[in-house]
Amino acid sequence: MKQKVLESFAEHFGGEGDIRTYFAPGRVNLIGEHTDYNGGHVFPCALTIGTYMAARKREDRKLRFYSMNFEHLGVIESSLDDFKMGKEGNWTAYPKGMIWTFIKKGYPVEQGMDVVIYGNIPNGSGLSSSASVEVVTGVMLRDLFGYDQLTNTDLALFGQYSENNYNGVNCGIMDQFAVAMGKKDCAIFLDTSDLSYEYAPVKLENARIVIASSNKKRGLGDSKYNERRSECETALAELQKVSNIGSLGELTVEAFEEIQSAIQDPVRVKRARHAVAENQRTIEAVKALKANDIKTFGELMNASHVSLRDDYEVTGIELDTLVEEAWKCPGVIGSRMTGAGFGGCTVSIVENDAIDNFIEKVGAAYKEKIGYAADFYVVDIGPGAGVLE
Ligand code: GLA
């Protein structure tokens, strides 16, 4: 892959000089959905698929970008004097947002660069292709401009800042953190209230992680993501009138039930209930995984989906069909939607000898009901972002 990106770089920008290469993965969240902006826990892992980047510093202030995924767009040229706050209208809004963030945070970028990227994460599938581009850009800027004092956690925070302030999506920290901090064969148990984290080995023995992409396109910006976030904020403010809490993640389900009547709107009660219960489920799920109780882990995944469907209402017919068909298949340990929802992907844990049947049955039922095909990926957990040697 690295070779291919370097060849494309040579073709578009010439092969001379100091050309560096970088990688950042995509991610899948095993459990803990819509908890990261509510001070709760998440449990994502980095994938072996992701974004490759080749880059070379320039002497002037020009920025030249080429994506092997959007060949028809050709080389897109702009400059360090031309930030459009997410109005680029194409993929360069992500790397440009990251450059803008570096400058804003006090890490000057005074020289332009030539950049080629190639990604093998299906775009807009909910596997964090945008966080992957943000973080790989961060790794590149740190390397090219010698900002070695920046940690991968810093780059994750910069990525989130960029997404929030340059691209206008009010996302939490989960995606950028998973992409920057992933570890092979481990998921990250992250407490989003203080960014403390722990790596938990995912030893599935007889099973694999299978991702099903609904192929329903969505962008977070035009989804109801920001709306859910503000519903939770309003619910929290109502609860704070009767309780001394800083976030929904501080509540157990029992404590929530005692004070939930402070929330004035039944829809907001459901939203907050999901955030509280999902956080508790995530804590339970990690306990179960550590005890090698994969069955309980799977049951909690299923319960997560039900809560996202009924209380948080972010699933939709496509994701529900994929998950409900998965539940019918033998050898499925757990299945749920993953990521923001409203389209995107599901994640399932499926026993090895049941995978072929799973893909065939769920795929056929999906096509029959929805009218177009889903795509299936049996994935591996890989390391986080870094320089390619
Ligand atoms: C998107 C956001 C994350 C997180 C998930 C839902 O992926 O980028 O911050 O909120 O949705 O869990």
Side-chain angles (χ1 to χ4, degrees), residues 317-318 320-326 328-329 357-374 376:
I317 184 160
E318 296 84 3
D320 287 337
T321 300
L322 287 173
V323 167
E324 284 157 22
E325 291 300 327
K328 291 182 199 160
C329 290
N357 177 64
F358 167 87
I359 293 176
E360 192 193 316
K361 292 277 158 48
V362 176
Y366 186 79
K367 182 137 197 240
E368 164 84 32
K369 187 153 179 186
I370 306 298
Y372 51 85
F376 294 84

CSV table of all heavy atoms in Angstrom, one decimal, residues 317-318 320-326 328-329 357-374 376:
chain,number,residue,atom,x,y,z
A,317,ILE,N,-34.4,1.7,9.6
A,317,ILE,CA,-34.7,0.3,9.1
A,317,ILE,C,-33.5,-0.5,8.6
A,317,ILE,O,-33.4,-1.7,8.7
A,317,ILE,CB,-35.8,0.4,8.0
A,317,ILE,CG1,-36.2,-1.0,7.5
A,317,ILE,CG2,-35.4,1.3,6.8
A,317,ILE,CD1,-37.6,-1.0,6.9
A,318,GLU,N,-32.5,0.2,8.0
A,318,GLU,CA,-31.4,-0.5,7.5
A,318,GLU,C,-30.6,-1.2,8.6
A,318,GLU,O,-30.3,-2.4,8.5
A,318,GLU,CB,-30.4,0.5,6.7
A,318,GLU,CG,-31.1,1.1,5.4
A,318,GLU,CD,-31.9,2.3,5.8
A,318,GLU,OE1,-32.0,2.8,6.9
A,318,GLU,OE2,-32.5,2.9,4.8
A,320,ASP,N,-31.5,-1.7,11.7
A,320,ASP,CA,-32.4,-2.7,12.4
A,320,ASP,C,-32.5,-4.0,11.6
A,320,ASP,O,-32.4,-5.1,12.2
A,320,ASP,CB,-33.8,-2.1,12.6
A,320,ASP,CG,-33.8,-1.0,13.7
A,320,ASP,OD1,-32.8,-1.0,14.5
A,320,ASP,OD2,-34.7,-0.2,13.7
A,321,THR,N,-32.6,-3.9,10.3
A,321,THR,CA,-32.7,-5.2,9.5
A,321,THR,C,-31.4,-6.0,9.7
A,321,THR,O,-31.5,-7.2,9.9
A,321,THR,CB,-33.0,-4.8,8.1
A,321,THR,OG1,-34.2,-4.1,8.0
A,321,THR,CG2,-33.1,-6.1,7.2
A,322,LEU,N,-30.3,-5.3,9.5
A,322,LEU,CA,-29.0,-6.0,9.6
A,322,LEU,C,-28.9,-6.7,11.0
A,322,LEU,O,-28.5,-7.9,11.1
A,322,LEU,CB,-27.8,-5.1,9.4
A,322,LEU,CG,-27.6,-4.6,8.0
A,322,LEU,CD1,-26.5,-3.5,8.0
A,322,LEU,CD2,-27.2,-5.8,7.1
A,323,VAL,N,-29.2,-6.0,12.1
A,323,VAL,CA,-29.0,-6.5,13.4
A,323,VAL,C,-30.1,-7.6,13.7
A,323,VAL,O,-29.8,-8.7,14.2
A,323,VAL,CB,-29.1,-5.4,14.5
A,323,VAL,CG1,-29.2,-5.9,15.9
A,323,VAL,CG2,-27.8,-4.6,14.4
A,324,GLU,N,-31.3,-7.3,13.4
A,324,GLU,CA,-32.4,-8.3,13.7
A,324,GLU,C,-32.2,-9.6,12.9
A,324,GLU,O,-32.4,-10.7,13.4
A,324,GLU,CB,-33.8,-7.7,13.5
A,324,GLU,CG,-34.0,-6.7,14.7
A,324,GLU,CD,-35.0,-5.6,14.5
A,324,GLU,OE1,-35.9,-5.8,13.6
A,324,GLU,OE2,-35.0,-4.6,15.2
A,325,GLU,N,-31.7,-9.5,11.7
A,325,GLU,CA,-31.4,-10.7,10.9
A,325,GLU,C,-30.2,-11.4,11.5
A,325,GLU,O,-30.1,-12.7,11.5
A,325,GLU,CB,-31.1,-10.4,9.4
A,325,GLU,CG,-32.4,-9.9,8.7
A,325,GLU,CD,-33.5,-10.9,8.6
A,325,GLU,OE1,-33.2,-12.2,8.6
A,325,GLU,OE2,-34.7,-10.5,8.6
A,326,ALA,N,-29.2,-10.7,12.0
A,326,ALA,CA,-28.1,-11.3,12.6
A,326,ALA,C,-28.5,-12.1,13.8
A,326,ALA,O,-28.0,-13.2,14.0
A,326,ALA,CB,-27.0,-10.2,13.0
A,328,LYS,N,-31.0,-13.7,14.3
A,328,LYS,CA,-31.6,-15.0,14.0
A,328,LYS,C,-30.6,-16.0,13.6
A,328,LYS,O,-31.0,-17.2,13.5
A,328,LYS,CB,-32.6,-14.8,12.8
A,328,LYS,CG,-33.8,-13.9,13.1
A,328,LYS,CD,-34.6,-13.9,11.8
A,328,LYS,CE,-35.6,-12.7,11.8
A,328,LYS,NZ,-36.1,-12.4,10.5
A,329,CYS,N,-29.4,-15.6,13.3
A,329,CYS,CA,-28.4,-16.6,12.8
A,329,CYS,C,-27.7,-17.4,13.9
A,329,CYS,O,-27.4,-16.8,14.9
A,329,CYS,CB,-27.3,-15.9,12.0
A,329,CYS,SG,-27.9,-15.2,10.5
A,357,ASN,N,-22.4,-18.6,6.6
A,357,ASN,CA,-23.8,-18.6,6.7
A,357,ASN,C,-24.4,-17.3,7.1
A,357,ASN,O,-25.4,-16.8,6.5
A,357,ASN,CB,-24.3,-19.7,7.7
A,357,ASN,CG,-25.8,-19.8,7.8
A,357,ASN,OD1,-26.5,-20.1,6.9
A,357,ASN,ND2,-26.3,-19.4,9.0
A,358,PHE,N,-23.7,-16.6,8.1
A,358,PHE,CA,-24.2,-15.3,8.5
A,358,PHE,C,-24.2,-14.3,7.4
A,358,PHE,O,-25.2,-13.6,7.2
A,358,PHE,CB,-23.2,-14.9,9.7
A,358,PHE,CG,-23.3,-13.4,10.1
A,358,PHE,CD1,-24.2,-13.0,11.0
A,358,PHE,CD2,-22.5,-12.5,9.5
A,358,PHE,CE1,-24.3,-11.6,11.4
A,358,PHE,CE2,-22.5,-11.1,9.8
A,358,PHE,CZ,-23.5,-10.7,10.8
A,359,ILE,N,-23.1,-14.3,6.7
A,359,ILE,CA,-23.0,-13.3,5.6
A,359,ILE,C,-24.0,-13.6,4.5
A,359,ILE,O,-24.7,-12.6,4.0
A,359,ILE,CB,-21.6,-13.3,5.0
A,359,ILE,CG1,-20.6,-12.7,6.0
A,359,ILE,CG2,-21.5,-12.5,3.7
A,359,ILE,CD1,-19.1,-12.8,5.6
A,360,GLU,N,-24.2,-14.8,4.2
A,360,GLU,CA,-25.2,-15.2,3.2
A,360,GLU,C,-26.6,-14.9,3.6
A,360,GLU,O,-27.4,-14.2,2.9
A,360,GLU,CB,-25.0,-16.7,2.9
A,360,GLU,CG,-25.8,-17.2,1.7
A,360,GLU,CD,-25.8,-18.7,1.6
A,360,GLU,OE1,-24.8,-19.3,1.9
A,360,GLU,OE2,-26.9,-19.2,1.3
A,361,LYS,N,-27.0,-15.3,4.8
A,361,LYS,CA,-28.4,-15.1,5.3
A,361,LYS,C,-28.7,-13.6,5.5
A,361,LYS,O,-29.7,-13.1,5.0
A,361,LYS,CB,-28.6,-15.9,6.6
A,361,LYS,CG,-28.6,-17.4,6.4
A,361,LYS,CD,-29.9,-17.9,5.9
A,361,LYS,CE,-29.8,-19.3,5.2
A,361,LYS,NZ,-29.1,-20.3,5.9
A,362,VAL,N,-27.8,-12.9,6.2
A,362,VAL,CA,-28.1,-11.5,6.5
A,362,VAL,C,-28.1,-10.7,5.2
A,362,VAL,O,-28.9,-9.9,5.0
A,362,VAL,CB,-27.1,-11.0,7.6
A,362,VAL,CG1,-27.4,-9.5,7.8
A,362,VAL,CG2,-27.2,-11.7,8.9
A,363,GLY,N,-27.1,-11.0,4.4
A,363,GLY,CA,-27.0,-10.3,3.1
A,363,GLY,C,-28.2,-10.5,2.3
A,363,GLY,O,-28.7,-9.5,1.7
A,364,ALA,N,-28.7,-11.7,2.2
A,364,ALA,CA,-29.9,-12.0,1.3
A,364,ALA,C,-31.2,-11.3,1.9
A,364,ALA,O,-31.9,-10.6,1.2
A,364,ALA,CB,-30.2,-13.5,1.2
A,365,ALA,N,-31.3,-11.4,3.2
A,365,ALA,CA,-32.5,-10.8,3.8
A,365,ALA,C,-32.5,-9.3,3.7
A,365,ALA,O,-33.5,-8.6,3.5
A,365,ALA,CB,-32.6,-11.2,5.3
A,366,TYR,N,-31.3,-8.7,3.8
A,366,TYR,CA,-31.1,-7.2,3.7
A,366,TYR,C,-31.5,-6.8,2.3
A,366,TYR,O,-32.3,-5.8,2.1
A,366,TYR,CB,-29.7,-6.8,4.0
A,366,TYR,CG,-29.5,-5.3,4.1
A,366,TYR,CD1,-29.9,-4.6,5.2
A,366,TYR,CD2,-28.9,-4.7,3.0
A,366,TYR,CE1,-29.7,-3.2,5.2
A,366,TYR,CE2,-28.7,-3.3,3.0
A,366,TYR,CZ,-29.1,-2.6,4.2
A,366,TYR,OH,-28.9,-1.2,4.2
A,367,LYS,N,-30.9,-7.5,1.3
A,367,LYS,CA,-31.2,-7.1,-0.1
A,367,LYS,C,-32.7,-7.1,-0.4
A,367,LYS,O,-33.3,-6.3,-1.1
A,367,LYS,CB,-30.4,-8.0,-1.0
A,367,LYS,CG,-30.5,-7.6,-2.5
A,367,LYS,CD,-29.2,-7.6,-3.2
A,367,LYS,CE,-29.4,-6.8,-4.5
A,367,LYS,NZ,-29.2,-7.6,-5.7
A,368,GLU,N,-33.3,-8.2,0.1
A,368,GLU,CA,-34.7,-8.5,-0.2
A,368,GLU,C,-35.5,-7.3,0.4
A,368,GLU,O,-36.4,-6.8,-0.2
A,368,GLU,CB,-35.0,-9.8,0.5
A,368,GLU,CG,-36.5,-10.1,0.7
A,368,GLU,CD,-37.2,-10.7,-0.5
A,368,GLU,OE1,-36.5,-11.4,-1.2
A,368,GLU,OE2,-38.4,-10.4,-0.7
A,369,LYS,N,-35.2,-6.9,1.6
A,369,LYS,CA,-36.0,-5.9,2.3
A,369,LYS,C,-35.7,-4.5,1.9
A,369,LYS,O,-36.6,-3.6,1.8
A,369,LYS,CB,-35.8,-6.1,3.9
A,369,LYS,CG,-36.7,-5.2,4.7
A,369,LYS,CD,-37.0,-5.9,6.0
A,369,LYS,CE,-37.9,-5.0,6.9
A,369,LYS,NZ,-38.0,-5.6,8.2
A,370,ILE,N,-34.4,-4.2,1.8
A,370,ILE,CA,-34.0,-2.8,1.6
A,370,ILE,C,-33.8,-2.5,0.1
A,370,ILE,O,-33.9,-1.3,-0.3
A,370,ILE,CB,-32.6,-2.5,2.3
A,370,ILE,CG1,-32.8,-2.9,3.8
A,370,ILE,CG2,-32.2,-1.1,2.2
A,370,ILE,CD1,-33.8,-2.1,4.6
A,371,GLY,N,-33.5,-3.5,-0.7
A,371,GLY,CA,-33.5,-3.2,-2.2
A,371,GLY,C,-32.1,-3.1,-2.7
A,371,GLY,O,-31.9,-3.1,-3.9
A,372,TYR,N,-31.1,-2.9,-1.9
A,372,TYR,CA,-29.7,-2.9,-2.3
A,372,TYR,C,-28.9,-3.7,-1.4
A,372,TYR,O,-29.3,-4.0,-0.3
A,372,TYR,CB,-29.2,-1.5,-2.5
A,372,TYR,CG,-29.3,-0.5,-1.4
A,372,TYR,CD1,-28.5,-0.5,-0.3
A,372,TYR,CD2,-30.4,0.3,-1.4
A,372,TYR,CE1,-28.6,0.4,0.7
A,372,TYR,CE2,-30.6,1.2,-0.3
A,372,TYR,CZ,-29.7,1.2,0.8
A,372,TYR,OH,-29.9,2.1,1.8
A,373,ALA,N,-27.6,-4.0,-1.8
A,373,ALA,CA,-26.8,-5.0,-1.0
A,373,ALA,C,-26.1,-4.3,0.1
A,373,ALA,O,-25.8,-3.1,0.1
A,373,ALA,CB,-25.8,-5.6,-1.9
A,374,ALA,N,-25.8,-5.1,1.2
A,374,ALA,CA,-24.9,-4.6,2.3
A,374,ALA,C,-23.5,-5.2,1.9
A,374,ALA,O,-23.4,-6.2,1.1
A,374,ALA,CB,-25.4,-5.2,3.6
A,376,PHE,N,-19.9,-6.9,3.7
A,376,PHE,CA,-19.5,-7.5,4.9
A,376,PHE,C,-17.9,-7.5,5.0
A,376,PHE,O,-17.3,-7.8,4.0
A,376,PHE,CB,-20.0,-8.9,5.0
A,376,PHE,CG,-21.5,-8.9,5.2
A,376,PHE,CD1,-22.3,-8.9,4.0
A,376,PHE,CD2,-22.1,-9.0,6.4
A,376,PHE,CE1,-23.7,-8.9,4.2
A,376,PHE,CE2,-23.5,-9.0,6.6
A,376,PHE,CZ,-24.3,-8.9,5.4
